[in-house]
Amino acid sequence: MRAAPEAPATVSGDGAGPAATDATWCLAIDDGDELDRVVESLTCVADGVVGTRGVREEEQDPAISPVVVAALYEPAEGVGERLVQLPSWCTLPLGPDLPRGRHVLDLRAGVLARQVWSGGRVLVDSVRFASAARPGVSVLRATVASSALVASPTSRPVALRRTPSGGGVVAVETTDVHRAGDGDEATTVVDRVAVHQVERHRPPSEALARARLAAASSVGSTRLLDEHRRVWSRRWEVADVEVDGDPEATLAVRFALFHLFSSTSVRSAEAAVGARGLTGPAYAGHVLWDTEAFVLPVLAAVDPAGARAVLEYRVRRLGPAMARAVAEGRRGARFPWESAGDGTDVTPRSGIDQHGDEVPILTGDLEEHVTADVAWAACRYVAWTGDGAFLAGPGRRLLVETARYWASRVRTDEAGRAHLDGVIGPDEYHEGVDDNAFTNLMARWNLRRAAELVAGAPNVAGDRRAAATAAAGGAASLGGAEEAAAWERLAGTIVDGLDPATGRHEQFSGYDDLDPLLAEALGPVPVAADLVLGHERLARTQVIKQADVVMAHLLVPDEAGPGSLAADLDHYLPRTAHGSSLSPSAHAYALARAGRTAEALALLRLAAAVDLEDLTETTAGGLHLANLGGIWQAVVHGFGGVGPDRRGGGALAVDPHLPDEWGELRIGVRWQGVPVRLRLRSDGVHVACAAPVVVAVAGTRTRVEPPGRWVT
Ligand code: IFM
């Protein structure tokens, strides 16, 4: 995990040079410490509309396109569609011999500062941010030694990009230049404001962009920064997480929250949060289950509007999902494994392996669990927010149509047991398997929750009012009593691989017969086992890519066999290569719940290193957003035991399992509209709340009145 920097720079942006700041709030990186492209990803600033990687101002043509536009996809070779990419709006005509300096990402303020100095003189002192107060407005203020400039800074001409969907983006900017001093001491202060006006379905209006630019410029960079900081300050008031005695873990979870908040915008009705968010081009901005299973649970707890926008992205693509199900001879809705603009499947059909050979990619055809993951995310959002109107309307549609899909997808054998043949589970090393336990448990959960909702007794582990509103809201086309009863019966027949003899789930039918190889045989984890063994040989072993059965314990614990978490962890963890960035944090979460806190902490540190240390050498393409969500989940759900009480009834569960090294763990969430701050210790929990809340501390329910109190 990245060590706290010893002498981090200030983020003043006023030419004052490096000064001390809080190392648990600042990511300080000296140029040359890491690859430039990795630093650019780590220090990306985004506002849910536009992401700007931390490119240096003098970079005119960086290898990776520095600006990514949210929710706007264009056709692209090999990946179907990709998010629109644009050149940098923050370039300056700096000379070629500029020494290297330091980047400081101030998470609390939402600001990226950069300083370059030589012989004690600051040559560049810049601050940039993507305005959280005005999404789409980006600001650069740079104080530059005039001698470092090769020309006077000017604005680029207007940039316009259109997409086949009829939408597009127009980028306009203004640059104010002030000079002070003379001779060697002369400095130039550059104030640049850029506006990216994005429209998904109609041409973007340059006039509107210019009006927004004029409004923002008239406010001035200082006040724009003030209002931006205020938004971040409100976010942190609700969501901050702090671990006494572990500054590295504190920085890791704040870094995660920073980039997760940055991936959505209050302005957006829908948010297509891709696997790398707005921080880089990998996965082309495609939306995968990473969003529903890893990112959404965080947003639901700290940024309900962002979570709702993430769900809206799927709600608006229910039509294509239903069309696909019909085209495949099924009913209901099947969501695509990789999704982009219009909601059809954009998973690449092939890729190139390490030998340069073309290999088929089967996930688009076979990795079906995403359909249940979407339904799960909808319920998770309702559990945190109590949004009954959503559950009665679009949420119900999601649940019902996904349940219909599973009902039409299963094969029932002569003994009356239901199976899902030929799928890929989260462990992508084994393709085309039958009865993947995770997929089956998720499908079973999906059928049961939809049945309960339609029958009028939804249990989304949340607020009773939400349940009542939802129960009252069903139209016949959205399921009736008979259909619900059939789903309930069917769910009870889906096999789940639970072996009463071992007390654990077999990952898929026949898994236990495979070569019982352990991951450590291939090298220290994480290891890309497919590169070591080759695809075919690997598929004949028990080595798995990532949390699979273990993932079911996190998402749908009540579907897993009672008491099976320990046995499943014992069996699968040694077989897990962590070949996916989604794996370490999921195991940290599960291990913490199982009380194995030392191992959980080790895996949390591994998860933190995925991006902060570029552990898998893939961070240059953007941050792994699922891993960031997983880090928060490991700390909050795993170590803190904080989340919707599984027994429902509107209680927030709190059940800390803290590592020995940790003192107090402080967590902030928004529980059904009420900001709640928790202080967790081994000997008690302090609950601070703005309105009464019911908490279930280690299973015992208590009503806490504001401003709060200790519950022991
Ligand atoms: O969605 C994941 C998948 O689970 C493992 N491979 C990478 C994908 C994108 O992060």
Side-chain angles (χ1 to χ4, degrees):
M1 194 180 289
R2 172 177 299 278
E6 277 172 22
T10 185
V11 289
S12 65
D14 56 5
T21 59
D22 183 342
T24 63
W25 281 109
C26 290
L27 187 69
I29 308 171
D30 286 333
D31 284 342
D33 275 4
E34 320 215 6
L35 297 173
D36 289 351
R37 306 300 160 230
V38 174
V39 177
E40 288 170 10
S41 299
L42 292 170
T43 58
C44 176
V45 290
D47 57 16
V49 172
V50 161
T52 303
R53 290 163 57 82
V55 279
R56 299 196 303 270
E57 288 86 1
E58 62 273 30
E59 283 239 38
Q60 303 297 323
D61 192 17
I64 294 180
S65 186
V67 175
V68 178
V69 181
L72 202 60
Y73 292 92
E74 61 185 6
E77 182 88 31
V79 290
E81 292 174 43
R82 67 167 192 199
L83 281 179
V84 166
Q85 303 171 3
L86 290 176
S88 174
W89 56 272
C90 49
T91 53
L92 294 175
L94 292 161
D97 301 327
L98 209 61
R100 315 209 99 200
R102 169 178 285 189
H103 282 92
V104 179
L105 181 66
D106 182 336
L107 306 169
R108 180 155 39 194
V111 163
L112 175 64
R114 178 180 176 225
Q115 285 161 335
V116 176
W117 60 93
S118 170
R121 171 137 201 251
V122 176
L123 300 179
V124 179
D125 186 350
S126 72
V127 163
R128 82 173 70 148
F129 56 94
S131 174
R134 300 170 192 243
V137 174
S138 308
V139 179
L140 171 76
R141 169 167 251 244
T143 304
V144 182
S146 299
S147 57
L149 288 166
V150 294
S152 184
T154 51
S155 297
R156 289 173 315 157
V158 58
L160 174 66
R161 286 283 281 282
R162 296 289 305 280
T163 64
S165 70
V169 54
V170 60
V172 292
E173 60 191 52
T174 174
T175 305
D176 284 338
V177 177
H178 311 274
R179 295 191 175 81
D182 42 34
D184 283 354
E185 297 303 312
T187 56
T188 302
V189 179
V190 185
D191 274 309
R192 178 169 297 154
V193 180
V195 168
H196 291 83
Q197 179 67 28
V198 184
E199 298 287 351
R200 282 204 58 240
H201 296 297
R202 56 180 181 190
S205 156
E206 186 180 333
L208 183 54
R210 292 213 175 276
R212 291 184 64 203
L213 182 64
S217 307
S218 71
V219 169
S221 59
T222 306
R223 278 172 50 214
L224 287 171
L225 177 58
D226 286 347
E227 63 178 33
H228 168 72
R229 290 174 91 119
R230 277 198 295 279
V231 174
W232 273 104
S233 160
R234 284 199 293 276
R235 287 175 172 173
W236 291 118
E237 248 168 57
V238 172
D240 186 31
V241 173
E242 193 175 8
V243 188
D244 264 353
D246 197 337
E248 293 177 16
T250 302
L251 178 67
V253 72
R254 284 178 175 160
F255 177 77
L257 277 167
F258 173 82
H259 284 294
L260 293 168
F261 269 125
S262 302
S263 67
T264 66
S265 133
V266 284
R267 287 272 174 81
S268 311
E270 65 170 56
V273 178
R276 304 298 178 91
L278 300 175
T279 67
Y283 278 95
H286 293 178
V287 180
L288 294 96
W289 79 308
D290 305 39
T291 306
E292 276 78 20
F294 289 84
V295 172
L296 180 123
V298 188
L299 298 178
V302 300
D303 180 14
R308 180 67 184 79
V310 163
L311 291 170
E312 188 63 22
Y313 169 81
R314 296 296 191 178
V315 168
R316 293 185 183 187
R317 286 154 187 83
L318 194 55
M322 292 174 72
R324 180 181 188 182
V326 170
E328 294 178 357
R330 316 273 185 218
R331 297 182 63 229
R334 176 180 175 183
F335 283 99
W337 177 242
E338 292 189 28
S339 183
D342 65 7
T344 55
D345 195 298
V346 287
T347 312
R349 312 301 295 177
S350 64
I352 303 295
D353 72 8
Q354 73 268 37
H355 309 298
D357 297 330
E358 186 168 353
V359 285
I361 294 176
L362 302 181
T363 47
D365 287 337
L366 304 184
E367 198 150 354
E368 293 182 54
H369 61 81
V370 61
T371 289
D373 305 333
V374 170
W376 179 86
C379 289
R380 193 71 179 171
Y381 162 79
V382 174
W384 274 103
T385 62
D387 186 345
F390 171 78
L391 189 58
R396 181 174 174 129
R397 289 203 296 281
L398 285 178
L399 240 75
V400 165
E401 297 301 351
T402 49
R404 282 182 177 148
Y405 176 72
W406 295 117
S408 66
R409 170 65 173 85
V410 299
R411 169 183 64 83
T412 300
D413 67 18
E414 285 167 1
R417 286 175 313 212
H419 304 269
L420 288 163
D421 300 328
V423 302
I424 298 177
D427 160 34
E428 294 166 344
Y429 289 163
H430 297 92
E431 298 174 329
V433 301
D434 297 338
D435 288 327
N436 165 249
F438 175 82
T439 307
N440 286 21
L441 291 171
M442 290 298 293
R444 191 162 84 187
W445 173 94
N446 196 162
L447 286 163
R448 285 182 170 152
R449 292 298 84 75
E452 284 167 5
L453 181 64
V454 168
N459 172 16
V460 290
D463 182 50
R464 288 183 203 286
R465 279 167 307 150
T469 322
S477 66
L478 290 181
E482 252 179 61
E483 197 175 16
W487 291 337
E488 187 63 54
R489 280 195 303 276
L490 182 61
T493 66
I494 294 185
V495 302
D496 60 13
L498 182 66
D499 178 353
T502 59
R504 68 171 173 82
H505 299 83
E506 186 181 24
Q507 186 176 291
F508 54 81
S509 174
Y511 172 88
D512 287 351
D513 302 329
L514 297 174
D515 177 357
L517 195 67
L518 302 185
E520 66 183 11
L522 306 176
V525 295
V527 53
D530 46 347
L531 299 188
V532 178
L533 278 191
H535 208 69
E536 283 171 20
R537 165 86 184 90
L538 182 61
R540 293 196 295 273
T541 76
Q542 290 182 359
V543 171
I544 63 175
K545 184 175 183 182
Q546 65 201 85
D548 190 301
V549 170
V550 167
M551 212 46 216
H553 285 279
L554 307 185
L555 267 56
V556 290
D558 295 324
E559 294 295 335
S564 58
L565 173 61
D568 281 332
L569 266 173
D570 282 346
H571 193 75
Y572 290 107
L573 183 54
R575 289 162 171 77
T576 306
H578 300 298
S580 159
S581 64
L582 278 58
S583 192
S585 64
H587 283 95
Y589 174 176
L591 285 163
R593 289 331 295 152
R596 294 163 61 174
T597 55
E599 293 163 89
L601 187 56
L603 278 157
L604 177 67
R605 297 207 191 285
L606 198 65
V610 164
D611 283 317
L612 288 172
E613 304 295 341
D614 190 21
L615 189 69
T616 55
E617 297 182 2
T618 53
T619 294
L623 302 177
H624 301 76
L625 248 68
N627 178 53
L628 297 179
I631 288 170
W632 182 94
Q633 291 196 52
V635 172
V636 174
H637 298 327
F639 291 107
V642 173
D645 189 359
R646 280 159 63 177
R647 296 166 301 172
L652 177 66
V654 185
D655 184 17
H657 288 181
L658 304 184
D660 294 341
E661 297 88 325
W662 286 11
E664 191 170 281
L665 168 60
R666 293 186 278 280
I667 290 172
V669 293
R670 198 180 278 280
W671 177 242
Q672 303 197 347
V674 180
V676 177
R677 286 215 64 81
L678 300 160
R679 293 165 56 192
L680 315 185
R681 296 184 190 164
S682 310
D683 59 347
V685 170
H686 187 272
V687 182
C689 48
V693 289
V694 178
V695 290
V697 177
T700 306
R701 287 185 184 217
T702 317
R703 183 180 160 94
V704 178
E705 302 288 335
R709 64 180 168 86
W710 282 98
V711 184
T712 48

